[in-house]
Amino acid sequence: MSGTPYAFLRGEMMPLADAKIGLMTHAFNYGTAVFEGIRANWNAEQEILYLFRTREHYARLRKSAHVLMMDLRYSEDELIAMTEELVAKSGFQEDLYVRPMVYKSQEVLGVRLHDVEDDLLIYCAPFGAYLDLDAGIRCCTSTWRRADDASIPVRAKVNGVYINNALAKTEAHHNGYDEAIMLNHDGHVAEGSGENIFMVQDGTLITPPSADNILVGITRATVIELAEKELGLQTVERTIDRSELYITDEVFMTGTAAHVTPILEIDHRAINGGGIGEVSAQLQTLFFDAILGRLPQYSHWVTPIPAANLVGA
Ligand code: PMP
C-alpha cells in the first residue's frame, strides 16, 4: 500500500507537499541546521513497521543543536510520539527514512548563530537500500579530507558540513566506486561519506575513535554491542592508518542508510580475497534481525507500528 508523506512544520502536521519554507530562511542560505536520519523498517511477515533507536537519534539531535546554540524544545518522549504520529499518518507500508531537523528558521540575512530564531521540522519519505549490502561494495580513499573539529565539528550532524561528504561521494561515484573513505587532516582513516568504518582483525573489531573526526554513529554503537553480546567479539577504538585497511581480514561500513555493508575492495586492493567476510556477514544478519524486531533481547531499540495504525491521514 502506498502512502502520502507527512511533515511537521511550524508546530503542525501537514502533507509534505504543503510544507514550504521561504527563500530567505537562514538555514537554507548558510547551512545553519542540524539533522538526523532515522529508519523505519518494514517487516512484511509481521506487517509491522519498526522505527529504530529513535530515542538515541533525538538525543544526538539535541547535542548537535546545542553545538549550534539552538534549543530542541521538545522532550525525547514528545519527539518519539510525534514521529510515530507522522509515520502513521503517512501510511506507508515499506522502508522509510525520517528526517528531523533543527534549523535557523528566521528569514534574515547575516552569517551568525546568535539572535536568529530556530525551529524543528520533521518529514518522512520512502527509502530503500542505499548501498549494495548483499553484494558488497568497492571503495576509494577520497582526495577530500574529512572536515576537522577545529573548522567545523563533525560530531554534530550539521547540514552545512555535508558539502564535505558530498564532494567525497561524488568524486568516488565519478571514479567508478560505490563509496569514499575519508581521511582526516592528520591522514588517518575517519569514515565514509555517510557511514562509519570497521576493520576485523584476528577476531577483533577496530574502528576510529570519536576524536578522529567521525560522526559517532548509532549503527556503530549497535554493531559494537551486537558483536560483543552475540558473537563475543570485542571492539577496540583506535586510530587507523590507510594501509592497514588493505591488509586486514575484513572491512565493513555502518550507518542508518547503509545498515552493515561489507567492503570487497579498497583502492584496487581486494579485501578478504574480494569476498564477504564471515564476521561482516554474521553482523549484517544480526543487525537485520534487530532492526526488524526479531530479537526480543533488543526490543528496547525498536518502536513497532502495526499495519492497522498505518492508515494514512
Ligand atoms: N558518518 C556520517 C558522516 C554520517 O552521515 C552517518 C549517517 N548518519 C554515519 C556516520 C552513521 O551514523 P548512524 O549510524 O548514526 O546513522
Side-chain angles (χ1 to χ4, degrees):
M1 196 190 89
S2 71
T4 306
Y6 263 68
F8 177 83
L9 184 70
R10 296 184 199 98
E12 279 175 47
M13 296 273 178
M14 62 188 80
L16 179 60
D18 298 337
K20 308 283 185 207
I21 61 164
L23 295 190
M24 278 184 68
T25 304
H26 200 272
F28 178 65
N29 285 265
Y30 304 114
T32 44
V34 295
F35 69 102
E36 274 303 318
I38 307 172
R39 266 201 193 256
N41 302 290
W42 176 240
N43 184 323
E45 280 149 45
Q46 298 177 3
E47 301 213 322
I48 295 176
L49 189 64
Y50 286 101
L51 281 159
F52 189 64
R53 303 199 80 168
T54 315
R55 189 171 295 278
E56 290 83 349
H57 280 286
Y58 280 119
R60 187 170 67 186
L61 184 67
R62 189 180 302 283
K63 287 184 189 162
S64 295
H66 184 65
V67 173
L68 290 204
M69 304 170 96
M70 299 190 289
D71 233 5
L72 186 48
R73 287 177 293 270
Y74 300 86
S75 70
E76 260 76 330
D77 287 335
E78 285 170 327
L79 291 161
I80 293 167
M82 283 153 66
T83 305
E84 282 182 71
E85 185 188 338
L86 185 105
V87 165
K89 262 187 194 304
S90 300
F92 289 102
Q93 297 188 6
E94 61 188 287
D95 292 347
L96 290 183
Y97 208 74
V98 179
R99 166 58 41 83
M101 195 182 291
V102 184
Y103 69 112
K104 294 285 186 189
S105 55
Q106 201 173 334
E107 301 203 33
V108 61
L109 287 170
V111 177
R112 62 180 188 272
L113 296 177
H114 60 278
D115 299 335
V116 185
E117 289 161 17
D118 54 70
D119 203 357
L120 167 76
L121 67 78
I122 314 175
Y123 65 86
C124 71
F127 193 70
Y130 180 66
L131 293 169
D132 194 340
L133 38 89
D134 295 325
I137 59 166
R138 297 173 56 246
C139 294
C140 60
T141 303
S142 183
T143 64
W144 295 98
R145 292 291 168 102
R146 187 75 186 113
D148 189 79
D149 192 68
S151 303
I152 310 184
V154 300
R155 67 167 46 76
K157 210 166 155 52
V158 177
N159 290 46
V161 168
Y162 276 73
I163 286 299
N164 184 222
N165 309 46
L167 287 165
K169 179 76 182 186
T170 292
E171 179 191 50
H173 173 79
H174 285 318
N175 288 340
Y177 297 93
D178 302 303
E179 188 51 280
I181 295 170
M182 300 187 80
L183 306 181
N184 55 30
H185 276 260
D186 63 13
H188 293 114
V189 175
E191 58 184 340
S193 74
E195 307 85 11
N196 293 116
I197 190 163
F198 285 79
M199 319 193 283
V200 184
Q201 200 160 282
D202 301 324
T204 298
L205 305 190
I206 305 172
T207 195
S210 75
D212 272 0
N213 288 303
I214 64 164
L215 180 77
V216 183
I218 290 159
T219 319
R220 175 181 179 273
T222 302
V223 162
I224 291 172
E225 191 170 337
L226 287 172
E228 185 179 355
K229 292 201 177 138
E230 306 302 320
L231 303 177
L233 301 179
Q234 299 301 314
T235 301
V236 175
E237 297 186 35
R238 68 151 173 86
T239 294
I240 296 177
D241 279 336
R242 169 182 182 166
S243 62
E244 283 187 276
L245 295 177
Y246 299 160
I247 54 173
T248 196
D249 301 336
E250 299 178 32
V251 186
F252 62 86
M253 284 180 163
T254 62
T256 297
H259 299 301
V260 176
T261 299
I263 299 179
L264 306 187
E265 189 190 304
I266 300 172
D267 298 341
H268 300 282
R269 281 125 178 130
I271 312 297
N272 188 49
I276 294 177
E278 201 180 315
V279 174
S280 309
Q282 282 176 317
L283 285 170
Q284 195 187 69
T285 303
L286 278 168
F287 183 74
F288 272 103
D289 284 343
I291 66 174
L292 290 171
R294 294 187 200 123
L295 300 180
Q297 65 273 40
Y298 299 105
S299 60
H300 54 285
W301 284 346
V302 292
T303 309
I305 308 176
N309 294 0
L310 299 166
V311 287

